[in-house]
């Protein structure tokens, strides 16, 4: 980028683009129209491309302007967060960890995976649950320190993200008391008779489960499919069906949901990953998570 590039000029351009015209931007900024126009022209000169073009009584973005606007949006959204971040850091000496939780990840697994940092003094844990692809964007923009997910980051030539294995666990089948005897009789072929609850294709483990049924020539009696793993277990515990879950969480899950293990789901595992935007420049608590992690079976 040219050494003449000036973020003040970029800010004026951003306001003009948001307002759709020089006059409205000048009113918002409390400046003369000529001054705003000069600043935008200076930005165009430093970048070497026209960013705005006349449109009616206002202006519109050129293709180069659209690209510049995308970057400006990210820059100034982060800038708007700066005063709050500085104020919080100065007033309360906390250790802030922003974690993205992939919406298909079992909630009991999240607590288990975060256990190594839960007793950190003055920890302020911010957990944000969303769809996997949306979380990747937030991580790339450094709105998150780490993502916990059931899959590694996909290859992307434009965004470099790093996937760190945290744990893995075999799956098993669990049943509420009302279905336990019927599910145990002739297991796993019994899953063609008793109602079965499954995660949707939203979850990385759904495809291996479907392959497991095909391999055993079982057509499952599917009574429900759920994106949210906690909801799946809640309905299963209420008697709606038998369901798969990672054995990593068996002790907590059987205590909380009062279900019993029916049998193994042999050859099917659930994997857990920590995704970061840097390979080495990691948040100290993310480093602690990775140091404590040993990809393991339950």
């Amino acid at each position: 980028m040219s050494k003449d590039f000036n973020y003040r000029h970029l800010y004026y351009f951003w306001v003009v683009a948001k307002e759709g015209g020089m006059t409205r931007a000048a009113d918002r900024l409390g400046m003369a129209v000529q001054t705003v126009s000069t600043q935008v022209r200076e930005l165009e000169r430093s970048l070497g491309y026209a960013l705005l073009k006349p449109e009616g009584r206002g202006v519109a973005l050129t293709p180069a302007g659209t690209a510049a606007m995308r970057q400006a949006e990210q820059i100034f959204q982060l800038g708007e967060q700066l005063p709050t971040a500085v104020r919080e850091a100065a007033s309360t000496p906390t250790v802030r960890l922003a974690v993205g939780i992939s919406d298909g990840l079992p909630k009991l697994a999240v607590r288990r995976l975060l256990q190594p940092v839960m007793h950190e003094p003055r920890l302020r844990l911010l957990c944000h649950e969303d769809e996997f692809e949306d979380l990747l964007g937030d991580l790339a923009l450094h709105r998150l320190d780490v993502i916990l997910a059931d899959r590694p980051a996909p290859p992307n030539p434009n965004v470099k993200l790093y996937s760190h294995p945290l744990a893995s666990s075999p799956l098993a089948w669990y049943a509420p008391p009302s279905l336990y005897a019927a599910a145990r009789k002739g297991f796993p072929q019994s899953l063609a008779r008793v109602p079965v609850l499954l995660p949707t294709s939203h979850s990385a483990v759904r495809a291996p489960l479907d392959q497991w049924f095909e391999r055993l020539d079982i057509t499952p009696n599917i009574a429900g499919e759920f994106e949210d793993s906690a909801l799946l277990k809640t309905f299963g515990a209420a008697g709606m069906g038998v369901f798969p879950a990672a054995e990593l969480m068996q002790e907590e899950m059987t205590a909380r949901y009062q279900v019993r293990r029916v049998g193994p789901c042999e050859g099917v595992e659930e994997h857990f990953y920590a995704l970061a935007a840097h390979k080495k420049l990691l948040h100290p608590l993310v480093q602690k998570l990775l140091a404590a992690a040993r990809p393991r079976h339950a």
Side-chain angles (χ1 to χ4, degrees), residues 206-263:
R206 176 58 188 267
L209 282 169
D210 289 341
Q211 293 164 8
W212 182 80
F213 281 121
E214 291 178 11
R215 191 163 61 246
L216 296 179
D217 195 24
I218 297 171
T219 301
N221 178 23
I222 300 176
E225 299 178 74
F226 298 82
E227 284 191 3
D228 185 277
S229 63
L231 198 60
L232 184 153
K233 295 176 180 63
T234 298
F235 274 83
M240 186 177 179
V242 180
F243 60 90
E247 293 193 89
L248 178 71
M249 305 171 292
Q250 179 171 318
E251 184 177 341
E252 294 170 280
M253 187 177 59
T254 53
R256 174 174 295 190
Y257 295 105
Q258 301 298 307
V259 294
R260 298 177 63 183
R261 184 181 184 276
V262 177

Side-chain angles (χ1 to χ4, degrees), residues 25-92:
D27 290 342
R28 173 174 165 180
L29 293 166
M31 302 173 66
V33 173
Q34 182 62 35
T35 302
V36 175
S37 177
T38 299
Q39 300 295 317
V40 173
R41 284 200 301 271
E42 283 296 313
L43 176 65
E44 292 177 322
R45 184 188 62 78
S46 66
L47 294 175
Y49 294 93
L51 304 179
L52 298 170
K53 60 184 179 181
E55 185 175 87
R57 294 186 178 181
V59 294
L61 293 169
T62 64
T66 299
M69 187 61 179
R70 273 199 302 267
Q71 299 300 313
E73 286 278 17
Q74 296 175 16
I75 290 168
F76 293 118
Q77 282 177 11
L78 290 173
E80 288 171 355
Q81 298 168 16
L82 180 61
T84 300
V86 171
R87 183 173 60 252
E88 290 177 351
S91 61
T92 309

Side-chain angles (χ1 to χ4, degrees), residues 88-100:
E88 290 177 351
S91 61
T92 309
T94 58
V95 181
R96 179 182 180 277
L97 180 65
V99 182

Side-chain angles (χ1 to χ4, degrees), residues 246-287:
E247 293 193 89
L248 178 71
M249 305 171 292
Q250 179 171 318
E251 184 177 341
E252 294 170 280
M253 187 177 59
T254 53
R256 174 174 295 190
Y257 295 105
Q258 301 298 307
V259 294
R260 298 177 63 183
R261 184 181 184 276
V262 177
C265 190
E266 293 181 354
V268 181
E269 293 185 341
E270 188 159 19
H271 298 271
F272 306 102
Y273 296 87
L275 279 55
H278 297 283
K279 191 172 185 179
K280 296 181 179 179
L281 300 176
L282 299 171
H283 188 292
L285 294 187
V286 176
Q287 294 180 20

